Amino acid sequence: MAKTARETIKMKSTESNECYWTTINKRTSTGRKELKKYDKTRRKHVIFKQAK
């Protein structure tokens, strides 16, 4: 089997406890990831940051 550079990470909302899972490429993404996504509990778009 081939090794992959993909890693599964947890993204956590900055305004609530909403979380979701996504994958990143470890070779090209060296810093922490931040995305603006829809938060179901707040019913608006908020910033999600990469959790540990």
Side-chain angles (χ1 to χ4, degrees):
M1 247 181 162
K3 286 189 174 182
T4 61
R6 310 288 297 166
E7 181 180 346
T8 304
I9 60 167
K10 185 177 183 181
M11 303 291 287
K12 186 164 176 140
S13 174
T14 56
E15 295 186 21
S16 68
N17 290 331
E18 184 77 24
C19 296
Y20 76 95
W21 295 87
T22 187
T23 59
I24 60 167
N25 188 342
K26 289 188 288 185
R27 292 183 186 153
T28 59
S29 300
T30 56
R32 291 216 175 258
K33 191 134 183 139
E34 286 187 6
L35 296 172
K36 195 166 190 180
K37 300 292 275 183
Y38 183 76
D39 190 346
K40 294 178 220 169
T41 57
R42 292 293 215 165
R43 295 183 182 171
K44 64 179 184 176
H45 283 85
V46 296
I47 295 175
F48 280 76
K49 291 186 179 181
Q50 182 177 347
K52 288 186 178 181

